[in-house]
């Protein structure tokens, strides 16, 4: 009797322990969700604050435009500048500094460490002396519950992008980080089950499927390591799709048997919404909203580059700096590659418009595209697009906007600059100073975006101080003389900053145009009816030869320099005299982007300078990779 009672007590204690372990597991699972919701909430608040600040800055800029207020003197530290100095310090510390040997910013690295540590604490806290029975299944539970988030972070059409303003290409970094955290939990789960009873690990089909899911997930994660991914991207994409399907299907059954299927169903739903969203756009913009000529015009340009032009009716247009996924079914069936739209959308957003892409040849489809263009010259190819995607930051609140591009990075910064000019002309943006710096290897590379660049040079609104410089980095001695000559011809039109800085290059300043002098644009570019503002209309309105002559004339007014730009000096000079917030857009090769990051982390743009009245600087980087 007493032994029976003792055994009852043991069973009850055991059940209580199991019950309380189950309760704890659910509690910790909920806490993981609170953490995730908290992080997304912080991103949402930052997004909302930046929208509110942009609105406020535009409003106060408008009132300052009407009543010219004296700017507070720079030099002495002021308590009023403390919030701006704190903002600057956090931008530098969290967003501009990178961890050595990784592409992670400090904020991304910190988030990763905090998240992983939090997961491991939830995994092992109150685990009854670390006996595997108390943590093995919890690891599986914690891993499974993050699956919907993992899929959402990989989506092109995601609610997270909609509420935080973070584009899919940036969320992809978090997708990779999260997948590694989940993999660690999966391994802990498998190790725990092995420690409990190795023989019972595979004694039922659902357990075997669980192991299969773990193997698929391990392969998935390893094959997405940067070096492997870059070595053969198409293999990565194909293997990713197959392994994801294997992983989700096996996991679905495993979790169903374990009582957690409700974590996996949402993954299929999120994935399906994304896929249907993409399919819907492809059908709408390529087949339903038909255009007269749906093929892409492909032409070879110098420097391993191809220019692709196509026409589409994109409802609502696109925001300058956005990209689309382009597919050439006859060249690379099943492949779609992201390219930034190098021109601006027509102002009436939904009309048929030309989209221009400047494509640098790598070794896959882009190389094939170039080879074909070199073989056939200018020719046409069937094409479909999916997009537009991306959330380029708003430039309307900034007084000084600096655009820096290296090579094909001009596809990102040039349309953003043209768009800014439009917004200033329409009174929707308040830039007073715009600087454009483009580093190219050869002068012939100016052809890549000749019509857009020529258009930009003529569309700077009156009253805006505008400086445009091109740096030819691989020019030889002969071209050096020619270029210096060109530069000196331009030297009579200087912006305020150029007149104070002898080392700076000559620039085009719209203020310098004599009153009554017709703008070059009105002389050269009659406006088309379909796309009155976009440079795309140039081609349809002028014969090719005439257009080239117009572009050449326009580009001859552009200041050129030989050698690499001294970005530190340029930024220091501009920020030193800037009145009001400054934005810097940069796109191009890593060394160029790194030098901008490092310049903007140094003294003249640092928190101490801001405390003494220097402007805050927002840095927008586009590096053409995910
Ligand atoms: C948001 C964004 C905008 C971009 N805009 C431009 C642009 O305007 N002009 C331009 O020349 N390039 C741009 N790129 C880069 C361009 O997408 C790749 O260079 C191109 O896809 C390489 O194709 P490939 O088959 O020749 O590549 P490969 O030689 O096979 O690979 C070269 C590199 O490109 C990456 N890559 C390959 N295929 C894809 C793909 N389908 N999706 C994403 N990355 C891929 C790989 O990581 C690899 O490192 C952009 C990239 C992104 C993410």
């Amino acid at each position: 009797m007493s032994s029976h009672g003792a055994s009852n007590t043991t069973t009850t204690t055991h059940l209580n322990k199991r019950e309380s372990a189950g309760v704890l597991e659910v509690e910790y699972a909920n806490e993981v969700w609170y953490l995730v919701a908290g992080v997304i909430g912080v991103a949402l608040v930052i997004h909302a604050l930046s929208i509110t600040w942009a609105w406020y800055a535009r409003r106060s800029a408008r009132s300052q435009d009407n009543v010219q207020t004296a700017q507070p003197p720079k030099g002495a530290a002021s308590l009023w500048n403390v919030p701006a100095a704190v903002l600057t310090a956090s931008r530098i510390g969290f967003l501009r500094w990178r961890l050595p040997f990784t592409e992670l910013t400090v904020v991304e690295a910190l988030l990763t460490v905090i998240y992983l540590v939090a997961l491991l604490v939830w995994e092992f806290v109150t685990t009854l002396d670390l006996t595997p029975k108390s943590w093995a299944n919890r690891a599986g539970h914690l891993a499974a519950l993050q699956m919907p988030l993992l899929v959402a972070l990989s989506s092109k059409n995601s609610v997270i992008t909609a509420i935080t303003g973070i584009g899919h290409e940036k969320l992809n970094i978090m997708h990779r980080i999260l997948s590694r955290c989940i993999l660690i939990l999966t391994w802990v789960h498998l190790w725990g089950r092995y420690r409990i009873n190795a023989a019972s690990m595979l004694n039922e089909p659902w357990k075997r499927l669980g192991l299969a899911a773990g193997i698929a997930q391990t392969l998935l994660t390893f094959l997405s390591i940067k070096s492997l991914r870059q070595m053969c991207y198409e293999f990565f994409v194909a293997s990713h799709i197959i392994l994801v399907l294997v992983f989700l299907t096996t996991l679905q059954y495993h979790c169903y048997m374990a009582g957690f299927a409700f974590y996996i169903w949402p993954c299929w739903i999120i994935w399906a919404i994304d896929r249907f969203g993409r399919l819907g756009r492809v059908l709408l913009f390529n087949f339903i909203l038909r255009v007269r000529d749906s093929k892409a015009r492909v032409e070879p340009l110098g420097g391993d580059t191809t220019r692709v032009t196509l026409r589409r009716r994109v409802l609502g247009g696109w925001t300058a700096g956005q990209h689309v996924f382009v597919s050439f079914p006859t060249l690379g069936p099943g492949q779609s590659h992201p390219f930034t739209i190098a021109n601006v959308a027509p102002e009436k957003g939904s009309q048929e418009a030309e989209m221009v892409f400047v494509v640098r040849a790598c070794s896959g489809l882009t190389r094939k595209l170039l080879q074909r263009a070199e073989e056939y010259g200018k020719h046409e190819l069937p094409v479909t697009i999916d997009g537009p995607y991306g959330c380029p930051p708003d430039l309307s609140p900034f007084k000084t906007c600096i655009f820096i591009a290296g090579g094909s990075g001009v596809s990102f910064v040039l349309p953003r600059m043209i768009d800014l000019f439009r917004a200033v002309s329409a009174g929707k943006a308040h830039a007073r100073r715009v600087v454009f710096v483009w580093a190219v290897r050869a002068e012939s590379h100016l052809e890549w975006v000749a019509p857009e660049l020529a258009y930009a040079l003529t569309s700077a609104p009156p009253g805006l101080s505008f400086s445009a410089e091109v740096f030819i980095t691989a020019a030889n001695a002969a071209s050096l003389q020619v270029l210096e000559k060109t530069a000196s011809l331009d030297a009579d039109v200087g912006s305020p900053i150029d007149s104070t800085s002898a080392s700076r290059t000559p620039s085009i300043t719209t203020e310098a145009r004599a009153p009554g002098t017709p703008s070059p644009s009105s002389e050269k570019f009659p406006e088309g009816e379909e796309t009155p503002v976009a440079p795309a209309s140039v081609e349809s309105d002028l014969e090719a030869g005439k257009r080239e002559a117009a572009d050449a004339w326009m580009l001859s007014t552009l200041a050129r320099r030989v050698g690499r730009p001294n970005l530190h000096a340029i930024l220091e000079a501009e920020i030193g005299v800037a009145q009001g917030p400054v934005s810097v857009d940069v796109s191009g090769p890593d060394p160029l982007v790194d030098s901008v990051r490092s310049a903007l982390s140094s003294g003249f743009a640092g928190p101490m300078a801001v405390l003494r009245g220097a402007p805050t600087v927002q840095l927008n980087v586009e590096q053409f990779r995910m």
Side-chain angles (χ1 to χ4, degrees):
M1 177 83 182
S2 70
S3 85
H4 184 71
S7 118
N8 261 352
T9 319
T10 318
T11 314
T12 316
T13 319
H14 187 66
L15 276 176
N16 284 345
K17 276 182 183 170
R18 281 191 57 186
E19 255 172 41
S20 62
V23 170
L24 279 179
E25 207 173 291
V26 173
E27 202 178 301
Y28 295 147
N30 288 339
E31 284 170 13
V32 174
W33 275 118
Y34 298 149
L35 177 69
V36 169
V39 173
I40 296 176
V42 169
L44 188 148
V45 169
I46 293 174
H47 185 47
L49 283 177
S50 68
I51 292 175
T52 314
W53 173 75
W55 170 81
Y56 174 76
R58 274 195 304 269
R59 222 178 72 126
S60 54
R62 211 172 296 137
S63 50
Q64 275 170 23
D65 286 349
N66 297 336
V67 186
Q68 276 300 328
T69 49
Q71 292 293 328
K74 292 178 187 174
S78 159
L79 273 182
W80 289 109
N81 295 332
V82 170
V86 171
L87 175 71
T88 301
S90 42
R91 275 177 174 163
I92 292 174
F94 290 136
L95 301 174
R96 287 179 204 157
W97 287 347
R98 313 230 120 198
L99 247 60
F101 311 113
T102 73
E103 281 175 13
L104 293 184
T105 58
V106 171
V107 74
E108 286 159 356
L110 263 179
L111 261 180
T112 309
V113 171
I114 292 171
Y115 193 67
L116 186 58
V117 168
L119 285 178
L120 291 177
V121 168
W122 276 311
E123 166 58 17
F124 290 112
V125 76
T126 53
T127 50
L128 313 174
D129 303 329
L130 280 179
T131 47
K133 274 192 178 161
S134 50
W135 51 259
N137 284 353
R138 193 191 292 177
H141 188 171
L142 292 182
L145 77 91
Q146 297 173 75
M147 289 303 300
L149 177 66
L150 184 68
V151 180
L153 287 174
S154 71
S155 303
K156 307 268 177 306
N157 304 287
S158 117
V159 71
I160 301 178
T161 294
I163 61 174
T164 61
I166 305 174
H168 74 91
E169 70 283 10
K170 310 241 159 40
L171 288 182
N172 216 275
I173 299 172
M174 299 322 285
H175 167 75
R176 285 198 291 269
I177 290 172
L178 188 70
S179 71
R180 280 149 215 191
C181 292
I182 297 179
L183 184 65
I184 291 174
L185 287 172
T186 302
W187 284 348
V188 171
H189 175 56
L190 288 172
W191 172 240
R193 294 306 317 173
Y194 176 80
R195 289 270 312 279
I196 291 169
N197 186 347
S200 76
M201 258 187 98
L202 299 174
N203 61 359
E204 289 179 66
W206 72 278
K207 293 181 183 171
R208 288 196 284 276
L209 285 177
L211 182 67
I215 294 170
Q217 188 192 1
T218 306
L219 280 174
L220 258 176
T221 313
F222 275 96
L223 288 177
S224 60
I225 288 174
K226 189 179 161 200
S227 47
L228 293 179
R229 201 174 65 228
Q230 289 188 339
M231 215 187 314
C232 188
Y233 195 84
E234 291 316 317
F235 172 73
F236 157 75
V237 173
S239 64
H240 209 74
I241 293 172
I242 294 167
L243 286 169
V244 164
L245 286 176
V246 172
F247 175 46
L248 279 185
T249 321
T250 48
L251 190 65
Q252 174 79 57
Y253 189 66
H254 182 75
C255 286
Y256 170 73
M257 295 302 287
F260 296 127
F262 51 85
Y263 288 132
I264 313 302
W265 286 119
C267 299
W268 295 104
I269 295 169
I270 296 167
W271 183 77
I273 290 175
D274 183 42
R275 286 284 138 181
F276 279 117
R278 295 191 70 178
L279 182 69
R281 280 178 206 233
V282 170
L283 292 177
L284 187 66
F285 297 148
N286 298 288
F287 303 103
I288 298 173
L289 298 174
R290 294 186 73 84
V291 292
R292 270 169 294 153
D293 183 6
S294 64
K295 287 192 172 168
R297 260 175 293 138
V298 180
E299 54 188 305
L301 302 169
D304 261 8
T305 304
T306 316
R307 186 178 161 102
V308 176
T309 315
L310 53 94
R311 295 188 74 82
R312 285 293 180 275
R313 258 187 79 197
V314 178
L315 291 183
W318 61 90
T319 307
Q322 281 192 307
H323 57 274
V324 295
F325 285 80
V326 182
S327 301
F328 298 99
T330 52
L331 209 60
Q335 293 188 33
S336 69
H337 293 259
F339 297 116
T340 306
I341 310 164
N343 62 329
V344 286
E347 277 177 305
K348 282 184 196 142
S350 301
Q351 68 196 87
E352 181 180 326
E354 207 162 61
M355 291 175 139
V356 177
F357 305 93
V358 175
V359 179
R360 285 279 287 171
C362 295
S363 49
L365 179 124
T366 51
R367 176 67 52 188
K368 268 197 214 167
L369 190 72
L370 177 72
Q371 282 164 352
R372 225 187 117 97
E374 282 171 347
E375 193 180 335
Y376 296 105
K378 194 168 174 175
H379 68 287
E380 292 194 336
L381 269 181
V383 68
T384 59
I385 60 157
D386 166 26
Y389 293 108
C391 306
D394 178 16
L395 294 181
S396 63
F398 297 95
K399 288 274 184 165
T400 300
C401 296
I402 303 172
F403 298 91
I404 300 171
S408 60
V410 74
S411 311
F412 177 74
V413 303
L414 188 57
R416 280 178 55 78
M417 185 172 80
I418 296 175
D419 193 51
L420 178 73
F421 287 163
R422 266 189 194 178
V424 171
S425 301
K428 292 178 187 159
H430 299 276
R432 287 284 159 267
R433 169 84 178 146
V434 170
V435 178
F436 173 76
V437 176
W438 184 22
V440 284
R441 250 182 272 146
E443 197 182 7
S444 60
H445 295 183
L446 292 185
E447 277 173 40
W448 293 353
V449 284
E452 291 76 22
L453 192 53
Y455 177 80
L457 295 180
T458 59
S459 61
L464 181 101
S465 164
F466 172 41
S467 156
E469 301 170 65
V470 172
F471 288 79
I472 319 288
T473 57
N476 57 29
S479 61
L480 187 143
Q481 283 174 3
V482 177
L483 292 171
E484 289 300 347
K485 221 169 159 187
T486 320
S488 66
L489 282 175
D490 296 329
D492 56 335
V493 278
S495 66
I497 190 161
D498 299 315
S499 59
T500 57
S501 164
S503 65
R504 293 294 314 283
T505 188
S507 60
I508 294 163
T509 307
T510 51
E511 288 158 337
R513 204 178 282 150
T517 312
S519 81
S521 73
S522 58
E523 288 167 11
K524 297 287 171 187
F525 297 139
E527 290 178 346
E529 273 179 21
E530 270 191 354
T531 51
V533 184
S537 63
V538 172
E539 174 116 40
S540 53
D541 295 329
L542 295 175
E543 304 131 44
K546 215 166 153 194
R547 189 200 80 176
E548 273 160 29
D551 293 347
W553 178 83
M554 205 60 64
L555 294 179
S556 70
T557 66
L558 179 65
R560 287 122 156 112
R561 289 214 162 264
V562 172
R564 286 165 185 266
N566 183 344
L567 294 173
H568 192 287
I570 293 172
L571 288 167
E572 186 168 11
E574 293 296 340
I575 291 167
V577 295
Q579 306 284 349
V582 176
S583 87
V584 177
D585 273 35
V586 60
S587 180
D590 289 356
L592 179 113
V593 173
D594 289 345
S595 61
V596 171
R597 277 205 181 101
S598 120
L600 293 181
S601 306
S602 59
F604 69 86
M608 290 314 290
V610 172
L611 205 59
R612 287 194 296 270
T616 54
V617 182
Q618 178 175 300
L619 174 62
N620 309 315
V621 177
E622 177 54 73
Q623 284 188 286
F624 288 170
R625 60 168 172 255
M626 291 197 264

